[in-house]
Amino acid sequence: DGERVRETAEKYLDLSRMAFTVMVPEKDRGFDLKPMFEIAEKKLEKRRPPSARPAVRSAADPTRIVPETIVLPSGVRVLYRERPTSHVMSIQAAVLGGLRLEVADPVRSPDLDLGTSNLLSSVWSKGTLGKSAREISAIVEGSAANLDGFSGRNTIGLSSTGLARDWKKLSGLFSEVLVSPSFPKEELDLSRK
């Protein structure tokens, strides 16, 4: 039921253990990462992080851009990498979770919790405290983008990819879905089937 999914989310989705990955075109300096960092820090009740810096290039291969790791005061690790030849942006947030934790450290019991991460990932983006599944879908599909939860053996998270020009709209929606999902009962029932 929705309460069990919520309990699992509260137990395993520890924002202080989260890692973000943000990939943006190198030539487009119009990206402002500060709003996303501010939302994350506000939710974690910490001070605002440093602004993103230019791409770091590999000394051995100057054409290879090395992801930059930014550790926020809350402990969240952000991997930031620019993609110079792309007009696409991508954001992922992941925490420890998934099938192995359902079995090794269940909320109730391994038998009852088995599949909870998968269920959580399938309904995570289906509603927030301020937006319905239909409203979220309209924004995502209207931007030719995607926004989906994922789960595996060791992780559970949220992922979004879209056009760079829609960064502000999509990153704002991503942040809202990440920190205030509503797990609507009708979506849970549909996914459970």
Side-chain angles (χ1 to χ4, degrees), residues 188-193:
L188 279 166
D189 291 343
L190 185 62
S191 291
R192 190 178 287 114
K193 289 179 186 175

Side-chain angles (χ1 to χ4, degrees), residues 47-66:
R47 66 178 174 82
R48 202 171 104 206
S51 60
R53 292 172 289 283
V56 176
R57 298 194 180 273
S58 167
D61 180 2
T63 62
R64 183 172 165 261
I65 296 175
V66 179

Side-chain angles (χ1 to χ4, degrees), residues 17-24 31 33 36-37 40 52 65-70 72 76-83 88-95 150 155 157-162 167 170-171 174-175 178:
R17 293 170 35 193
M18 186 181 318
F20 278 107
T21 301
V22 180
M23 294 182 277
V24 297
F31 286 101
L33 297 174
M36 179 167 279
F37 289 147
I65 296 175
V66 179
E68 180 180 1
T69 302
I70 303 166
L72 302 180
V76 170
R77 287 175 296 161
V78 178
L79 298 178
Y80 174 75
R81 186 182 79 143
E82 296 185 37
R83 297 187 325 186
V88 175
M89 67 92 196
S90 181
I91 308 168
Q92 290 87 35
V95 295
F150 62 86
T155 59
L158 192 64
S159 176
S160 180
T161 301
W167 166 256
L170 294 174
S171 64
F174 181 90
S175 297
L178 180 68

Side-chain angles (χ1 to χ4, degrees), residues 39 55 77 100-102 124 132 142 146 151-152 175-176 185 191:
I39 290 169
R77 287 175 296 161
R100 287 187 180 167
L101 273 175
E102 289 173 8
W124 196 343
S132 68
N146 71 2
S151 70
S175 297
E176 183 177 344
K185 183 180 180 337
S191 291

Side-chain angles (χ1 to χ4, degrees), residues 87-89 135-147 160-171 173:
H87 294 287
V88 175
M89 67 92 196
E135 291 170 309
I136 291 170
S137 181
I139 294 169
V140 171
E141 291 177 17
S143 301
N146 71 2
L147 174 62
S160 180
T161 301
L163 297 175
R165 68 176 188 220
D166 297 322
W167 166 256
K168 187 173 183 178
K169 173 177 34 174
L170 294 174
S171 64
L173 180 62

